[in-house]
Amino acid sequence: MREQDILLIALYALAGAAAAGVLGAAVLRAVRHRSAAVSLAVVAAASLTTMLAGTLTVAWAMFLSPHDLTVVTTVIAVAAVVSFALALVLGRWVVARSTALALAARSFGDDGSFDAPEEAGTAELAALSRELAATSAKLNESRERERALETSRRELVAWISHDLRTPLAGVRAMAEALEDGVAADPERYFRQIRTEAERLNTMVGDLFELSRIHAGALSLMPTRISTYDLVGDAVAGVEALARQRGVRLVGERVAPLPIEVDGKEMTRVLCNLLSNALHRTPADGTVAISAESGEEDTVVLSVTDGCGGIREQDLPRVFDTGWRGTEALKPPAGAGLGLAIVRGIVEAHAGRASVRNVADGCCFEVTLPLAGA
């Protein structure tokens, strides 16, 4: 057969197939929002119609005999029936898998869990199922965090209400006694009122700081500083308290390591840890602070006290908002915000805070990145 004949046959076939293809595309566009089974049936029908139109166009152009034309048409028609049936079966199967996946996805609106259909669908449906399962896990984690935060918030409100009520009641009683002129020692009452006012001011300041941390509004101004200077500033801030409590405050293994932190906020972290340690350590005890190199280009600042240790079941809760341990109702317990503030500030510096029991007390550790690491 000459090349011209082959080219002519191809052009006739293209013309017939194109006409049928345009019609099939129009039908497919019309049903694009219908079920996948309908779309698959239309695609199968359009493909077969395109092939039939191209074949018949070539047959007409080549003047095939009626017998040959009947044979070709019959073969194409049988193939069309089988292909159309397969398309319908495949479409129903895809629709069934999609329906099962849609029913499973509705569980998001109930309890937030997702149970993938037992029978796997196509690769795309399987990938969608995995993504829904991953999203379900993240939603469950978010719900758990939300419940924990809500519980913590309620406990905090209850604890703060109790802690505020106690000093306020004392201040009111002393003020009434002074007003009525029945105070045996007015100067002592004045000093006590000032002490309670400072305690209230500290609690309000802690609440404000914690609210900034939780709101992500903690503004840091990092500067390069040596751990030696940082520890020195913190120790200077609690020396008076150490003398008052009769507790030895020592610095052990304080290496001059460079870190890039907000000096004011990090000094507050160490002062909170040292203050807690001094309050929980009995007289003639020792509180030690150290700064050493850690693993993977980190610096570890640690405060070790002689409090006798923390119960193992309480260790994971030490940095929770409002946690005050078994001595919560004994002054100077505070509002249980100091350690929560410590964790918030440390995490804002891309670090981590932890606690562990040691021989006769516990050791609080703050791990921070080494400057330039």
Side-chain angles (χ1 to χ4, degrees):
M1 184 179 293
R2 295 179 304 176
E3 293 182 0
Q4 292 83 351
D5 295 335
I6 296 176
L7 179 60
L8 185 61
I9 291 174
L11 290 175
Y12 276 116
L14 178 61
V22 170
L23 178 61
V27 175
L28 187 61
R29 176 178 174 80
V31 300
R32 65 185 183 280
H33 298 302
R34 302 289 295 275
S35 169
V38 175
S39 297
L40 287 173
V42 171
V43 170
S47 301
L48 294 169
T49 303
T50 301
M51 183 175 61
L52 178 61
T55 303
L56 292 179
T57 302
V58 172
W60 172 78
M62 294 178 64
F63 302 103
L64 291 182
S65 64
H67 176 269
D68 293 340
L69 184 60
T70 301
V71 171
V72 172
T73 304
T74 302
V75 171
I76 294 178
V78 171
V81 171
V82 174
S83 300
F84 193 71
L86 288 175
L88 288 178
V89 172
L90 177 60
R92 289 175 61 88
W93 181 82
V94 171
V95 169
R97 301 289 77 75
S98 301
T99 302
L101 186 59
L103 292 175
R106 289 179 185 175
S107 61
F108 280 148
D110 299 330
D111 57 0
S113 61
F114 174 76
D115 296 323
E118 296 182 359
E119 188 174 353
T122 63
E124 292 78 9
L125 292 178
L128 177 59
S129 179
R130 289 191 297 270
E131 289 297 327
L132 289 174
T135 303
S136 174
K138 293 178 181 178
L139 286 175
N140 284 332
E141 292 176 0
S142 298
R143 287 188 175 92
E144 290 300 325
R145 286 196 299 268
E146 184 178 353
R147 293 190 190 101
L149 288 174
E150 179 64 19
T151 301
S152 176
R153 185 189 66 81
R154 291 179 179 177
E155 292 177 350
L156 176 62
V157 170
W159 287 325
I160 287 296
S161 299
H162 175 274
D163 288 334
L164 288 176
R165 188 182 296 115
T166 301
L168 285 175
V171 169
R172 182 175 63 182
M174 288 183 286
E176 290 175 352
L178 290 170
E179 184 180 14
D180 296 338
V182 297
D185 186 358
E187 292 298 327
R188 184 175 65 85
Y189 275 40
F190 285 135
R191 289 194 299 270
Q192 188 62 29
I193 289 176
R194 180 180 178 84
T195 300
E196 295 298 338
E198 290 177 351
R199 181 182 174 191
L200 289 171
N201 183 66
T202 300
M203 293 173 61
V204 172
D206 286 346
L207 276 174
F208 178 70
E209 184 75 5
L210 192 63
S211 66
R212 286 200 305 158
I213 292 172
H214 286 173
L218 184 63
S219 179
L220 300 177
M221 293 184 292
T223 57
R224 193 181 184 93
I225 187 174
S226 169
T227 54
Y228 187 86
D229 296 333
L230 184 65
V231 170
D233 292 341
V235 169
V238 296
E239 278 182 337
L241 178 61
R243 287 194 300 269
Q244 177 186 348
R245 300 285 301 176
V247 177
R248 291 184 298 275
L249 182 58
V250 299
E252 296 181 344
R253 303 183 304 276
V254 180
L257 302 171
I259 53 176
E260 193 165 341
V261 297
D262 186 309
K264 179 182 177 181
E265 296 295 342
M266 198 53 60
T267 299
R268 178 170 188 166
V269 165
L270 294 183
C271 285
N272 278 0
L273 294 178
L274 288 171
S275 178
N276 282 348
L278 292 170
H279 278 122
R280 300 307 180 192
T281 300
D284 295 329
T286 301
V287 170
I289 183 171
S290 66
E292 301 176 285
S293 297
E295 299 177 353
E296 299 178 355
D297 295 326
T298 60
V299 175
V300 179
L301 302 166
S302 61
V303 174
T304 306
D305 59 33
C307 68
I310 300 173
R311 295 185 304 177
E312 291 295 329
Q313 59 267 34
D314 288 337
L315 284 176
R317 299 188 56 218
V318 167
F319 292 98
D320 290 351
T321 302
W323 185 88
R324 292 178 292 185
T326 56
E327 302 295 325
L329 301 181
K330 297 180 181 180
L337 305 181
L339 293 179
I341 292 173
V342 165
R343 180 175 62 179
I345 295 175
V346 170
E347 290 180 351
H349 284 85
R352 64 179 183 275
S354 60
V355 60
R356 56 186 172 86
N357 286 322
V358 292
D360 55 354
C362 54
C363 177
F364 287 85
E365 294 182 338
V366 172
T367 304
L368 298 168
L370 188 66

